[in-house]
Amino acid sequence: MGQDTLQIKALQIGRLSTKCPIIQGGMGVGISLSSLAGAVAKAGGIGIISTAQIGFRRPDFLKNPLEANLQTIHEELKKARKIAPNGIIGFNIMVATKEYARYVKEAVRAGADVIISGAGLPIDMPKFVAEAEGQKDEVEGRRTMLAPIVSSIKSALVICRMWDRKYKTAPDFVVVEGPRAGGHLGFSREELSSYGVDTADVAHTYERDSYDEEIRGIIRVIKEFAGKYKKEIPVVTAGGVFDHQDLLHELELGADGVQVATRFVTTEECDAPMAYKKAYLDASQEDIVIVKSPVGMPGRAIRNEFLARVAKGRIPVERCFNCLAHCNPAETPYCITKALINAAEGKIKEALLFCGSNAYRCKKIETVPEVMRELCEGR
């Protein structure tokens, strides 16, 4: 099927149906909160709030980060619902988060429509959701839809087999995050190299055809489990989706929709400060690099003074925010919470500026409706 014959259809996830097959990717700390998620949901997509240190602005955050974050999950969802009362809104929750189970349960209780979970395999997410069902604040009788993030055929098989064996269930949808994604990547440096991603020359080395075959393989895996459970399991692809032609390409591969993050950063509605957005507008292809994250995964970010300082040696941790399950403050190269909060507060020279591979293509501040229209209609 050629791209010119493709029809842009709604994304159907169980009882949920979008106007456009667009999910806005979760970006933390503080980049995708209620303003962005609500605007995307209002425009006909799925808005996603990142739970990563979501309560960093609360006065009690330094004293008790966990409780501040859990409380803010409810607050941000309620604010997003005011923007888009009939929209689809959910959360992105990293498996690597310390107290991961509590975050999942709190998102369910708050009334999340969907939860997307990566940075590790969310093996026990179905259990945590089941334990929290029936305790929601709002929208009675609406089950939260669950999506693991996978990056390979192997990871898709592992998560589907584990959910099947342990919980007799399958995902409601699956997000496939490729090598061109922003923030933490579900690949080792060796795996990135296998797809032609040279960490010294990211902009010119990606071999799309190679990863396209991986996507087709993942779709085959998901269809197998969809057949077993007699339900539709949409596959949503992510990583490097920037414009209408990218959307058409992913749909031609067999995807049901796409997840887009970077393109939404430079919108008026994005929760990021203008200094953060300007860093995207000013970035060149050569400024976008692969970095080592304290999470234990490669990450994609914009080269700046902070990364230059990290390259010279470890930055001692002054305060531990208990954010990651496997982080030793005495050994970590820097505090990722502090670096990301600096970004959300506009302290760009002291910040880790996560981004996707196409951040350099952001040339102006747009509105969410404008971005959604260009993605879905090409105009």
Side-chain angles (χ1 to χ4, degrees), residues 38-58:
V40 171
K42 184 177 181 179
I46 297 179
I48 299 295
I49 299 167
S50 169
T51 65
Q53 303 296 43
I54 188 173
F56 74 100
R57 289 194 176 98
R58 286 180 61 95

Side-chain angles (χ1 to χ4, degrees), residues 82-152:
K82 287 184 179 179
I83 297 170
N86 300 313
I88 304 171
I89 303 166
F91 292 94
N92 178 289
I93 307 176
M94 296 196 306
V95 179
T97 305
K98 190 174 287 188
E99 300 287 354
Y100 170 72
R102 292 191 65 182
Y103 282 86
V104 171
K105 292 177 183 180
E106 209 66 38
V108 173
R109 291 172 185 140
D113 293 313
V114 302
I115 295 176
I116 298 172
S117 198
L121 289 176
I123 299 296
D124 294 317
M125 183 161 60
K127 177 179 118 176
F128 303 145
V129 169
E131 290 172 352
E133 287 291 349
Q135 304 174 37
K136 295 182 180 180
D137 285 350
E138 31 182 288
V139 197
E140 291 300 323
R142 295 177 61 176
R143 183 175 69 83
T144 302
M145 302 285 112
L146 307 182
I149 295 175
V150 301
S151 296
S152 65

